[in-house]
Amino acid sequence: MKKAHKEAMALLTEFFNRYLDPNLSSGEPAESTSALLDVYPFIYANWLQNSTGFDHPITPYDFICETSIRLLPEGHFAFPYVKPNSYTNFSRFRPNIKEFTKDTHPIISDLGVYLMVILTDGSCAETEYGEILLRSSHILKSKLSFYSPYYVEYIHNLAAALGLIRCLPSVNLKIYKAAVSEDYFEAPCSFEEVFDASLDICVSKLNSMFPPESATFSRDVLLYYLKNPVDSEEIMNFILSDYEIDIDAMIEDDDFIGSADIKNREDMILSSTHFLAAVLTKWFYTVFAYYLHIIRPATYYNPMFSFALQFFAENGKSLDYSQKAAVFLTLPDRSSLTPFGADFFKMKFSGRNHDGSYISKVPLYVLCTELFGDMDDECDYPDFKEEIPKTFTFKIYNIDKPVNQEIFNFAEYETLDSIYFAVHERFRTRPIIEFSIFTDESRSPFSQYTSGSYDKPYKKADSTLLNEVCESVGDRLWLQMKKKPYKNDKKPCYEYEAELIKID
């Protein structure tokens, strides 16, 4: 692993600590600290998937994906888990970076650690709420990638699905014993087996919320949602459509809005929907994103997360096993494949859009500054801090009035749309209905770029970078901006020329 990559992953933990501290009261009693440590992986996972501001969609998880795919060897990936400095006197988290391939995925070793504890203890118990009771749980805290009773619950279900442990007849509690010997460690499960078992667990957990005759989920359905960028709302609508429930319509209903006391049926539906969202988050998004790293969820800024943290700091010690998790089990807006997920499914990895261009085209230096704020002297930033993008300086003027010239500076990773918006704003060229940019004076259709807002059969200006069409001083672009048609309008469009005069 390159030094820059380690520094980048450690930087994530530093900013997570900075973000977490203001939202938690100092001097909390031991019970609240214990409750926090139970759910900290959910808090971290939630933080990873939230964009850090209103003005851009970049999430810490996007940053993880980009640094991994650019700085690590092909077929290698990395993920920064966090661990508390102490499980008894919590103050901060420390980075715990795992570099892995498909055959050395952290889940495979964690599964072996859990089986070792079962073999040592002789057995374990499962409560009716799914909590796993182990005599040697302290071993898991140091041996697992991270420790949480909810992660142990998943590992336990995974071991059972893979036939590594078996359930014994018992009263009140389910008792489990190891079904294999220590020979397992010589030939551990493959990631394909772990993935298939995780699919089966997710299908079972989600379908358990419905009558047997109304089972909604299948392996094929989940595989579709994993492989394709899908909004969480689409999944929820898919689930509820079988019951002819339209939540949006129900909330907009006049009776619903004007009633101080929500009708029983609507109250029940809303409550069930929140519960369904929590289960979907716990067994689909958390498993396949945070545990297996197949997908990366994204929420484009969620201010309620800070309130959830403060609420938990004040009330966490009084919540039971299920309630503690539910505080942070909120659906993301959408998800897409990680580089590891794309590699596993043998698909092409595609980054998210950022200001009209793919994040994968933006320098890591820029992603770092936008994610963490302006560079300062308080932190040791990764080696790619010197990866400063070039600045393109253009001289732009109206072809009819070349004397009125304006100078514009753009970063090389900005898109052709940047020129359009700059000209539109500076020259007050209104109203505009569409525009085109040409890279040669003959206005060849093969050199034409059009805005992503218009359905034209040419390359899109909002996904084409300036450094892809301008390489040296003297390069020119020709802009044609069509106005709205007005009666007696003799000149239906504006014409501009942009000349690249300097590259810094």
Side-chain angles (χ1 to χ4, degrees), residues 20 38 42 105 107 111 114 128 148 153 168 172-173 194 365 374-375 378 383 390 395 442 461-462 475 487:
L20 194 62
D38 283 346
F42 288 146
H105 196 286
I107 195 70
L111 194 60
Y114 183 71
E128 60 179 318
S148 164
E153 181 186 355
L168 304 176
N172 297 328
L173 294 175
V194 168
Y365 170 86
D374 293 333
M375 295 289 185
E378 296 181 16
D383 291 341
K390 296 178 182 177
K395 177 176 66 179
S442 66
D462 63 348
D475 287 344
K487 192 174 182 180

Side-chain angles (χ1 to χ4, degrees), residues 450-477:
T450 56
S451 170
S453 305
Y454 306 112
D455 186 19
K456 298 290 184 179
Y458 301 111
K459 298 178 182 178
K460 297 301 180 184
D462 63 348
S463 59
T464 304
L465 306 189
L466 286 173
N467 62 12
E468 294 177 337
V469 296
C470 293
E471 298 178 350
S472 59
V473 172
D475 287 344
R476 282 180 165 81
L477 300 173

Side-chain angles (χ1 to χ4, degrees), residues 62-219:
D62 290 328
F63 186 69
I64 291 170
C65 291
E66 287 301 324
T67 53
S68 291
I69 203 167
R70 297 193 208 182
L71 300 179
L72 294 179
E74 185 177 355
H76 288 243
F77 312 91
F79 191 84
Y81 302 99
V82 293
K83 281 194 170 187
N85 283 340
S86 169
Y87 282 95
T88 56
N89 184 23
F90 164 74
S91 58
R92 290 168 64 83
F93 291 101
R94 66 181 188 276
N96 180 35
I97 303 164
K98 298 275 188 175
E99 182 180 353
F100 64 93
T101 64
K102 187 186 67 167
D103 296 328
T104 60
H105 196 286
I107 195 70
I108 297 174
S109 58
D110 285 350
L111 194 60
V113 169
Y114 183 71
L115 184 59
M116 177 192 70
V117 170
I118 301 293
L119 287 167
T120 302
D121 286 359
S123 66
C124 71
E126 179 183 359
T127 70
E128 60 179 318
Y129 300 108
E131 186 174 10
I132 309 302
L133 306 178
L134 290 156
R135 287 195 296 272
S136 302
S137 61
H138 61 281
I139 297 178
L140 296 177
K141 291 182 179 179
S142 61
K143 297 293 185 181
L144 292 180
S145 300
F146 58 91
Y147 178 79
S148 164
Y150 305 98
Y151 182 56
V152 173
E153 181 186 355
Y154 163 68
I155 291 285
H156 174 86
N157 279 269
L158 189 58
L162 291 168
L164 303 179
I165 59 176
R166 56 189 175 89
C167 185
L168 304 176
S170 57
V171 179
N172 297 328
L173 294 175
K174 293 181 179 178
I175 305 298
Y176 287 83
K177 292 182 72 69
V180 295
S181 67
E182 294 182 3
D183 293 342
Y184 164 80
F185 300 102
E186 297 178 4
C189 294
S190 66
F191 182 80
E192 285 82 359
E193 292 174 311
V194 168
F195 176 78
D196 287 341
S198 297
L199 275 181
D200 292 336
I201 293 169
C202 187
V203 168
S204 175
K205 296 292 183 182
L206 293 176
N207 284 338
S208 67
M209 296 182 294
F210 305 97
E213 66 276 7
S214 303
T216 302
F217 287 92
S218 66
R219 291 171 59 93

Side-chain angles (χ1 to χ4, degrees), residues 256-274:
F256 182 89
I257 295 173
S259 175
D261 181 21
I262 300 175
K263 295 191 292 292
N264 288 337
R265 178 176 179 273
E266 292 170 334
D267 192 15
M268 178 187 67
I269 291 173
L270 283 178
S271 177
S272 300
T273 303
H274 285 301

Side-chain angles (χ1 to χ4, degrees), residues 5 8-9 11-13 15-16 41-53 56-70 72 77-81 98 100 105-106 146 191 226 281 284-301 332-342 349-352 359-360 364 367-368 370-372:
H5 192 269
M9 298 298 97
L11 184 63
L12 275 176
T13 304
F15 276 84
F16 174 64
F42 288 146
I43 297 174
Y44 186 58
N46 211 317
W47 178 78
L48 286 177
Q49 71 189 38
N50 272 271
S51 62
T52 53
H56 64 74
I58 301 175
T59 69
Y61 214 150
D62 290 328
F63 186 69
I64 291 170
C65 291
E66 287 301 324
T67 53
S68 291
I69 203 167
R70 297 193 208 182
L72 294 179
F77 312 91
F79 191 84
Y81 302 99
K98 298 275 188 175
F100 64 93
H105 196 286
F146 58 91
F191 182 80
L226 288 172
T281 303
F284 179 73
Y285 286 107
T286 303
V287 167
F288 292 103
Y290 191 61
Y291 299 159
L292 301 184
H293 318 308
I294 293 290
I295 56 174
R296 51 174 171 164
T299 300
Y300 300 133
Y301 199 73
D333 291 337
R334 67 195 331 257
S335 66
S336 58
L337 288 173
T338 63
F340 172 67
F349 171 71
S350 59
R352 288 200 178 91
I359 290 176
S360 57
L364 289 177
L367 291 183
C368 193
E370 295 213 10
L371 182 61
F372 303 124

